[in-house]
Amino acid sequence: MSGVNGGNQDVDIDLGRVISAVWERKGRILGATIVAAAIALVGTSLMKPSYKGETRLLIESRSPNLSGGDAAAQANDPLLDSLNITSQAQLLQSTDLIKRVARDLNLAKLKEFDPAAQSFLPDPLVLIGLKQDPMKLDPEDRVIQEFREKLDVYAVENSRVIAIEFSSRDPKLAADIPNRMADVYLQLQSGAKLDTHSETAKWLEPEIANLTQKVKEAEKKVADYRSSNGLFQTTETNSFSTQQLNDISTELARIRGERANAEARAENVRAALKAGRASDTLSDVVGSQVIQRLKEAEANLQAQISDSATSLLEGHPRLKGLRGQLSGIRQQIESETKKILASLDNEAEMSRIRERQLMGQLNGLKADSAKAGEEEVGLRALEREAAAQRQLLETYLARYREASSRLEGNSSPADARVVSKAVEPSEPYFPKIIPIVIVVSLATFIFGCLIVIVIELFSGRALRPSGVRDGEDDTVLEPAVSAPAAAPLPVHQMQAEAARFDRPDPVRESAKNAAALAYARIAEQSLSEKESEAEEAVAEVDDSGFTIGSVAHYLQRHDVPVAIAISPGGDEGSTATVMLAREIAESGRTVVLVDMTGSATPTQMMAENPKLPGITDLLCGETAFGDAIHPDRLSDAHIIPHGASDPARAMRGVDRLSMIIDALADAYDLVLIECGPAEIAGISRLTRNAMAEIILSVPGFKDEEVAELVTDFDAAGYGNLLIMAQTADRHSPRPGKRHAA
């Protein structure tokens, strides 16, 4: 950004000046870095090394299961949650445990745990009163304080593992202390379990004796109450009266069924006799042995009567006698049927009598059962009390047996086990000489560079006006060929402002020799292409090889996607570029011309309205991509006009130009960019695409002028050019391709 505001010009940081200032003082910076590295090396070498050992404990429930199955969780089993793990980590840092470890390993006699033996100089914090003098503490307290500073106990994240780390100058001690802490912790945990079991057994012994006496008394009360009230038990759930009541009820139901059955059968026989139906249809009558014999006799008589009727007259005495016998048998059947009916009535009556008797017994038992129920209320109360006492006694006995079985030392393991013991470290963990030296060196180097940068910034030597690029003078370079006064700001000037660099000043030959050299190189390359393709004859390179037709033929044959046209001559060269676009469009290929000239000559030649939205509007973001593309009024080519937006605003979006060109290359066979009389430095933003070709549109130029332009582009790094010097011979097949050495 540049501008003048209130008489003060905005400034930017001159990165080139900052880098050069750092480079000028590289000796001092490197010297300070080397000195700091040497001091760090000597200091870390003189430090006493410290070693670190680590032991890891896994917290888990280790209660023995003697039943052989999956043991249910006990009430006193620990909850293995995050709070329990943290609590166990705090127990490992308890003073009692540290004291026991210190006594077992005799740490008070080691110089490492004696503050007076560690330093010959007094602690400045102690002198000024910010820290308590450790020599005023008891020896045991001094050991504990030093022990805590070297100890680090923490729970490993997302696990039930606790790590015990201890740092010491003695590698053996660094391994022994964590291991000893783990052993003491397991012993304390196991001892706490043994104490719990011992206290439990001692408490249960008198309680069990007292409960045994109470159970005996309660069961005696139950037996006495049952015998005094006649509440005898036939089974575990039924009493004697209840059993009798059930039996009578069952018998009563059976008698009622028999009565109903007898009544139904008697009624059936009575109804049959009253209706005059045959007795053969009654099951009770048919089942009678007497009836069956009478029926057989009846059948025999009927057979005899039938036989006799065939040979004897109707009034024959024999027939009469047989019919009289048949009538007597039928009267006997009827009489026997009435006897069966009478027996059924008697059976029904007996069932009714039995039913009345059972009902009387049932009513009596109901009264006795009601009385027994009232008496059983007290019995159940006594039984509940006896059952409660018995259950409590059984529970205490089970707990007592369990506690007694765990009074041995190995029967109650701690709820933790060592999963990783500390081993004697072979390398110290502090100081790490090489990392410390590297870090100190880098910090010194960076700090020195920052000091130089700050000095340059505050002195003002690293500041420059906002409108000036790095490596440029304060003046803004103008285009090689200015546009007319009435034309808008050239687009190629925006490109030069965005990507200008210092162009080298090569030693040039005379105009005549440069032209000869350029055309000689062109002839050599043209000859090599003809020999490789074996399709054209060797011909002399002359002006006819640089026509619009030859350039169009080359672009089509090599399928060039993007071409950048530079017209040092102004509108005449831009006109030739328009003719080139139309030439390619006539061959059936899709082509779009992007007008980035200052005079907007291609727009005036191809667009129906010069004020149509174009490239400057796209760079400003004021129009859509499709709205900026328009057809040529005289051919099938397309054009993106110069546009109506402010070119100064378009400069801010010049970074979008490469994306626009890439998008056009995907849609068209050829993207032709006309830049007008742009400087060489102004096309650096457009040549990001490695497939882009540069066309010099120089109609009417002399050989010396063309050679000078070619030499300038070669010196700037553009050694591969297409020269379009003539507009005649549109159908020439030879492309004007130049490969600079």
Side-chain angles (χ1 to χ4, degrees):
M1 180 179 100
S2 64
V4 176
N5 188 7
N8 296 326
Q9 186 177 13
D10 295 340
V11 294
D12 291 333
I13 296 176
D14 191 348
L15 297 179
R17 177 57 188 165
V18 171
I19 296 174
S20 63
V22 174
W23 182 255
E24 290 173 1
R25 295 170 176 82
K26 63 181 180 298
R28 297 180 184 178
I29 296 175
L30 294 178
T33 303
I34 295 173
V35 170
I39 294 174
L41 179 62
V42 173
T44 52
S45 300
L46 295 177
M47 291 181 181
K48 293 183 179 180
S50 296
Y51 300 88
K52 181 177 289 187
E54 182 188 71
T55 299
R56 295 202 170 194
L57 292 171
L58 175 62
I59 307 300
E60 62 181 358
S61 179
R62 302 188 66 195
S63 298
N65 179 20
L66 303 179
S67 62
D70 295 336
Q74 301 295 327
N76 57 352
D77 285 348
L79 293 175
L80 299 179
D81 55 2
S82 59
L83 295 178
N84 179 264
I85 304 303
T86 305
S87 301
Q88 299 303 318
Q90 294 299 320
L91 289 177
L92 282 165
Q93 304 178 60
S94 63
T95 303
D96 293 339
L97 190 146
I98 293 175
K99 285 182 179 180
R100 183 169 173 179
V101 173
R103 286 195 299 267
D104 293 344
L105 298 178
N106 203 6
L107 300 180
K109 294 183 178 181
L110 299 179
K111 293 183 179 180
E112 186 176 352
F113 293 90
D114 186 4
Q118 295 182 14
S119 177
F120 297 100
L121 299 176
D123 192 347
L125 296 178
V126 174
L127 294 178
I128 62 179
L130 296 179
K131 184 178 179 182
Q132 185 181 5
D133 188 1
M135 300 307 298
K136 294 181 180 181
L137 299 175
D138 295 335
E140 190 175 30
D141 293 338
R142 291 200 299 269
V143 171
I144 293 174
Q145 184 176 1
E146 189 70 18
F147 195 103
R148 289 186 183 278
E149 292 179 357
K150 298 175 179 293
L151 178 65
D152 185 15
V153 179
Y154 61 91
V156 179
E157 187 177 1
N158 297 329
S159 70
R160 298 198 301 269
V161 176
I162 297 177
I164 307 172
E165 291 183 353
F166 192 84
S167 60
S168 175
R169 296 172 185 172
D170 184 3
K172 185 176 184 305
L173 193 63
D176 291 343
I177 289 180
N179 291 334
R180 185 56 188 167
M181 289 185 66
D183 295 339
V184 172
Y185 169 76
L186 295 178
Q187 292 174 8
L188 292 176
Q189 290 291 89
S190 179
K193 279 191 172 185
L194 289 176
D195 294 340
T196 301
H197 297 324
S198 178
E199 292 175 359
T200 301
K202 290 180 181 179
W203 180 80
L204 286 175
E205 287 179 357
E207 292 294 327
I208 289 174
N210 188 22
L211 276 176
T212 302
Q213 186 63 31
K214 289 183 178 180
V215 169
K216 290 181 180 179
E217 294 176 358
E219 290 180 349
K220 187 176 181 302
K221 289 180 180 180
V222 171
D224 294 342
Y225 188 88
R226 191 185 298 277
S227 62
S228 62
N229 293 279
L231 301 175
F232 302 105
Q233 293 288 115
T234 56
T235 61
E236 294 182 357
T237 57
N238 293 333
S239 63
F240 183 74
S241 60
T242 304
Q243 183 66 33
Q244 281 186 332
L245 188 61
N246 292 335
D247 294 342
I248 291 177
S249 297
T250 303
E251 183 65 18
L252 179 61
R254 186 183 67 81
I255 293 300
R256 285 178 176 175
E258 292 179 356
R259 177 182 60 80
N261 186 25
E263 289 179 350
R265 290 159 60 192
E267 185 64 26
N268 187 23
V269 173
R270 187 179 293 109
L273 292 176
K274 186 177 181 180
R277 295 198 304 269
S279 60
D280 297 344
T281 59
L282 301 176
S283 59
D284 292 324
V285 175
V286 174
S288 176
Q289 296 293 331
V290 177
I291 296 296
Q292 291 178 1
R293 288 194 298 269
L294 293 174
K295 284 291 185 183
E296 291 176 0
E298 182 183 11
N300 292 330
L301 289 174
Q302 285 182 349
Q304 293 178 7
I305 291 173
S306 298
D307 292 339
S308 299
T310 57
S311 60
L312 300 177
L313 296 175
E314 187 66 26
H316 195 276
R318 182 174 177 78
L319 287 177
K320 290 181 180 180
L322 291 174
R323 288 191 180 96
Q325 291 178 5
L326 180 62
S327 175
I329 288 175
R330 287 179 178 174
Q331 289 178 0
Q332 289 179 3
I333 291 174
E334 183 178 357
S335 176
E336 190 63 29
T337 301
K338 291 179 180 180
K339 290 180 181 179
I340 292 174
L341 177 60
S343 66
L344 291 177
D345 289 337
N346 292 334
E347 184 180 352
E349 183 63 24
M350 288 178 63
S351 297
R352 281 193 288 272
I353 294 172
R354 181 59 179 163
E355 180 181 359
R356 286 195 296 269
Q357 291 176 352
L358 290 176
M359 284 297 298
Q361 294 178 4
L362 182 62
N363 293 331
L365 287 175
K366 285 182 179 179
D368 295 340
S369 179
K371 183 179 179 181
E374 295 176 359
E375 294 173 351
E376 285 180 354
V377 173
L379 178 63
R380 283 194 293 269
L382 294 175
E383 287 178 344
R384 283 195 298 269
E385 182 179 357
Q389 297 291 343
R390 190 184 306 107
Q391 184 178 3
L392 183 59
L393 176 61
E394 292 174 356
T395 303
Y396 278 10
L397 286 173
R399 296 289 179 85
Y400 180 78
R401 287 192 295 269
E402 182 180 358
S404 299
S405 65
R406 296 185 181 183
L407 291 178
E408 296 295 332
N410 297 329
S411 63
S412 299
D415 291 327
R417 61 185 176 92
V418 178
V419 294
S420 175
K421 282 192 173 184
V423 295
E424 186 174 341
S426 59
E427 294 183 0
Y429 86 97
F430 182 83
K432 299 291 186 182
I433 298 178
I434 295 178
I436 291 177
V437 172
I438 292 175
V439 170
V440 171
S441 303
L442 289 177
T444 305
F445 179 78
I446 295 173
F447 187 69
C449 294
L450 289 177
I451 291 177
V452 173
I453 293 172
V454 170
I455 292 174
E456 289 296 316
L457 291 177
F458 278 95
S459 64
R461 293 191 295 272
L463 301 178
R464 58 176 173 77
S466 178
V468 180
R469 299 283 178 182
D470 294 340
E472 294 181 351
D473 296 335
D474 293 344
T475 59
V476 179
L477 298 179
E478 296 295 334
V481 180
S482 301
L489 182 65
V491 175
H492 67 266
Q493 183 177 352
M494 294 189 295
Q495 300 163 356
E497 292 284 348
R500 182 178 290 117
F501 57 88
D502 291 338
R503 186 176 63 195
D505 189 10
V507 179
R508 300 180 183 178
E509 304 175 278
S510 64
K512 183 175 181 180
N513 293 335
L517 179 61
Y519 283 108
R521 290 175 179 174
I522 296 169
E524 180 182 358
Q525 176 62 27
S526 177
L527 182 60
S528 63
E529 290 182 358
K530 293 172 184 177
E531 290 176 353
S532 61
E533 297 176 356
E535 295 178 356
E536 300 177 2
V538 178
E540 182 181 359
V541 178
D542 53 10
D543 291 348
S544 64
F546 305 99
T547 62
I548 294 175
S550 63
V551 173
H553 177 74
Y554 175 83
L555 294 177
Q556 296 177 49
R557 193 175 94 188
H558 293 276
D559 198 16
V560 176
V562 179
I564 302 172
I566 309 296
S567 302
D571 293 345
E572 187 177 0
S574 299
T575 302
T577 303
V578 173
M579 300 301 294
L580 174 63
R582 290 173 175 173
E583 175 80 10
I584 295 174
E586 288 180 2
S587 65
R589 296 174 61 86
T590 58
V591 60
V592 59
L593 189 145
V594 182
D595 186 2
M596 299 188 68
T597 63
S599 60
T601 298
T603 301
Q604 296 174 3
M605 294 179 63
M606 300 179 70
E608 296 181 357
N609 184 4
K611 295 183 179 181
L612 292 173
I615 188 65
T616 56
D617 302 293
L618 277 177
L619 294 177
C620 293
E622 295 181 353
T623 186
F625 197 87
D627 295 339
I629 303 175
H630 306 279
D632 180 20
R633 57 185 178 181
L634 298 179
S635 69
D636 294 334
H638 288 175
I639 183 173
I640 297 181
H642 181 275
S645 297
D646 184 10
R649 288 180 55 202
M651 288 176 58
R652 302 170 187 171
V654 72
D655 291 336
R656 301 171 58 190
L657 189 60
S658 61
M659 293 187 295
I660 295 174
I661 295 174
D662 292 339
L664 291 173
D666 293 337
Y668 289 88
D669 295 335
L670 174 64
V671 179
L672 187 59
I673 306 170
E674 172 59 32
C675 298
E679 291 185 352
I680 298 175
I683 64 174
S684 60
R685 287 292 180 91
L686 301 178
T687 56
R688 289 182 179 179
N689 192 336
M691 301 298 295
E693 295 283 351
I694 297 179
I695 302 173
L696 283 179
S697 181
V698 288
F701 274 49
K702 297 180 180 180
D703 294 344
E704 293 81 0
E705 296 173 342
V706 173
E708 184 177 1
L709 287 172
V710 171
T711 305
D712 291 342
F713 275 91
D714 188 15
Y718 301 102
N720 203 11
L721 303 174
L722 284 169
I723 300 175
M724 190 167 58
Q726 300 292 334
T727 59
D729 192 11
R730 293 179 54 183
H731 301 288
S732 176
R734 301 187 320 174
K737 185 72 176 177
R738 174 191 178 274
H739 293 273

